[in-house]
Amino acid sequence: MNFSQVIGQSKPKALLKSMIDSQRVPHAQLFLSAEGAGGLAMALAFAQYALCDNTRDGEVCNRCVNCIKASKMIHPDIHYSYPTVGSNVVATNFLKEWRQAIEENPYMNLNQWLQKIGAENKQGNINKNECLAIVKKLSLKTFEGKYKILIMWLPEFLGKEGNRLLKLIEEPPENTLFILVAENQELILNTILSRCQIVKINPLQDEEVAQGLVEQKMIGEEEAMKIARLANGDYNEALFLTEHTENDNAKLFLEWFRGCYKGNAKELVELTEKLAKLGRENQKYFMMYSLHFLRELMVLGITGKADSVRLQTTEKETALNMSKVIGFRKVEKISELFNEAIFHVERNANPKILFLNTSIKLHKVLRRN
Ligand SMILES: [Zn+2]
């Protein structure tokens, strides 16, 4: 995770970068984040920035060994701690799930995380064993990096066990950084709170949420703004809404795809006109969405499992039907077609000609044996 993947939040980003750049990093910080505002994403980006060998102009290089390991969450100097379920476990028992959860959505909330580790109705906590494990881990020397970093997500769940960490937080070993990512200040032990420097991460602006959806989820600008307004600065909520409300691109894509399959000339011309009216940016997102649909269609074809596919319910049904008639070879041909279309959209091709042409080619591929 790097800072450019963290949505919005230019102020705390600048503050955190300047700490590293000037080598004045407080050894214990508490990122106090509104829900879905990106506290955890920010902590991950901060850790990578702190360890990167070649930061330049406020960006990490994404190429050095520290960047690569940090982004894969396998850096030996970055440790993670988070709520788990059960008294005899430590966070590392769930490291595989943790990496997967972050890869899927670094804006997740506690409930989503607990579902991921199969907690059902049990309460999560950061228990005694975990605190002891942290003390032990942080007493080791750094392996490769300049800093040894502990990212603790939701220290609210430490309870009294948190007192075991006080000495460590107050007098940490050299070059050790604590980053606690919390959402609720009142639930954190005062003894811990008083030892941390607080960095506030406020709810996102609607425009920031919308931009995140456009860039990361290939949603058209208008649609993204509609969702952002409903999400109240919570990007996690926006992602949920995106998956559970009908998306304009999805609707249009299915309409177009069905039209191309049928191949009725009049209908194809009408659809082409509709696509031509979208405007260049939206045409690009539409085509990118189409590629996304194809990718998911392939996953479905390979795994045969509808629940492993990132599509909405209505799209899934269509995808399921399609995967029965469209084989791997056709999917490959179609993605070539779509990539070509994106290439031409970006170069200002005449949209009516481009989409009619693409529609006819698509029809041929779909109907070929
Ligand atoms: Zn780097």
Side-chain angles (χ1 to χ4, degrees):
M1 192 89 196
N2 61 47
F3 278 121
S4 58
Q5 293 167 310
V6 180
I7 294 154
Q9 306 292 12
S10 51
K11 249 181 157 176
K13 268 185 201 172
L15 171 73
L16 293 168
K17 286 176 187 177
S18 74
M19 284 177 187
I20 305 277
D21 293 342
S22 63
Q23 295 182 318
R24 284 192 183 155
V25 192
H27 60 253
Q29 300 191 75
L30 181 88
F31 292 7
L32 193 58
S33 173
E35 206 176 318
L40 179 56
M42 194 75 89
L44 297 166
F46 180 75
Q48 183 174 340
Y49 193 85
L51 296 180
C52 173
D53 292 329
N54 313 301
T55 54
R56 185 178 288 177
D57 303 328
E59 297 296 340
V60 290
C61 73
N62 280 321
R63 270 188 297 209
C64 69
V65 72
N66 287 312
C67 274
I68 291 167
K69 287 186 177 172
S71 67
K72 288 185 183 161
M73 298 179 73
I74 53 169
H75 200 294
D77 292 321
I78 306 178
H79 304 279
Y80 306 94
S81 187
Y82 34 81
T84 55
V85 175
S87 51
N88 287 319
V89 296
V90 289
T92 45
N93 293 138
F94 299 92
L95 194 54
K96 202 176 129 224
E97 290 85 351
W98 176 249
R99 286 184 186 131
Q100 199 185 15
I102 302 256
E103 195 175 314
E104 283 167 15
N105 176 15
Y107 288 79
M108 68 177 168
N109 63 26
L110 176 70
N111 193 33
Q112 286 163 314
W113 166 241
L114 292 178
Q115 295 308 314
K116 185 108 202 156
I117 57 172
E120 284 165 14
N121 295 323
K122 284 177 224 133
Q123 275 254 306
N125 72 340
I126 299 178
N127 62 28
K128 178 182 160 190
N129 286 354
E130 173 63 9
C131 292
L132 295 174
I134 290 172
V135 174
K136 202 168 160 193
K137 269 190 263 193
L138 293 188
S139 63
L140 301 171
K141 271 201 160 150
T142 63
F143 283 96
E144 322 193 341
K146 298 167 247 183
Y147 298 103
K148 192 162 37 177
I149 302 170
L150 177 83
I151 296 176
M152 180 182 282
W153 185 50
L154 301 177
E156 291 94 323
F157 292 85
L158 270 170
K160 284 197 198 100
E161 297 300 337
N163 287 317
R164 294 175 189 276
L165 301 177
L166 290 185
K167 197 167 153 274
L168 199 59
I169 295 180
E170 196 155 55
E171 288 170 52
E174 213 184 346
N175 298 326
T176 301
L177 305 179
F178 279 89
I179 305 167
L180 311 183
V181 182
E183 288 171 359
N184 197 333
Q185 189 168 348
E186 279 106 74
L187 297 179
I188 301 169
L189 291 176
N190 262 324
T191 43
I192 290 193
L193 204 57
S194 62
R195 285 166 172 83
C196 293
Q197 181 156 322
I198 294 180
V199 176
K200 276 210 166 181
I201 298 171
N202 295 321
L204 290 158
Q205 306 286 321
D206 288 351
E207 290 74 17
E208 293 173 323
V209 170
Q211 202 188 348
L213 292 175
V214 169
E215 285 170 7
Q216 301 186 350
K217 298 289 151 185
M218 275 70 100
I219 292 173
E221 273 169 48
E222 255 176 61
E223 179 73 12
M225 203 55 213
K226 257 191 251 168
I227 295 173
R229 283 196 201 99
L230 296 172
N232 282 323
D234 180 337
Y235 191 63
N236 186 43
E237 178 70 20
L239 291 176
F240 178 85
L241 291 169
T242 304
E243 274 168 37
H244 292 87
T245 52
E246 207 159 325
N247 147 339
D248 289 351
N249 274 340
K251 220 161 106 188
L252 186 55
F253 172 73
L254 294 183
E255 198 185 338
W256 180 56
F257 209 84
R258 285 192 197 113
C260 291
Y261 188 76
K262 277 197 278 175
N264 175 310
K266 189 169 161 268
E267 210 178 310
L268 279 188
V269 171
E270 278 167 13
L271 280 164
T272 301
E273 309 230 316
K274 216 171 179 177
L275 290 171
K277 273 191 205 138
L278 286 178
R280 207 157 66 95
E281 273 305 284
N282 285 333
Q283 282 161 359
K284 197 172 122 193
Y285 289 120
F286 173 75
M287 289 314 299
M288 284 162 88
Y289 171 81
S290 308
L291 278 174
H292 161 78
F293 184 91
L294 280 186
R295 263 196 304 270
E296 299 306 306
L297 186 69
M298 279 225 287
V299 173
L300 193 61
I302 292 163
T303 64
K305 283 188 214 145
D307 53 349
S308 59
V309 168
R310 291 179 307 154
L311 293 173
Q312 299 156 23
T313 326
T314 44
E315 298 169 87
K316 261 185 204 170
E317 278 164 31
T318 316
L320 203 59
N321 292 331
M322 274 190 205
S323 69
K324 289 171 195 154
V325 267
I326 306 174
F328 185 79
R329 290 278 298 281
K330 281 192 181 176
V331 171
E332 211 180 356
K333 276 262 178 270
I334 298 168
S335 28
E336 263 171 44
L337 256 183
F338 288 176
N339 275 314
E340 226 174 88
I342 292 174
F343 178 90
H344 291 296
V345 168
E346 281 173 342
R347 280 158 193 77
N348 274 327
N350 178 320
K352 278 189 196 172
I353 296 174
L354 172 66
F355 282 107
L356 190 58
N357 200 358
T358 308
S359 305
I360 293 167
K361 284 185 184 164
L362 179 57
H363 173 74
K364 283 187 183 157
V365 175
L366 288 172
R367 286 304 177 100
R368 198 182 296 150
N369 283 323

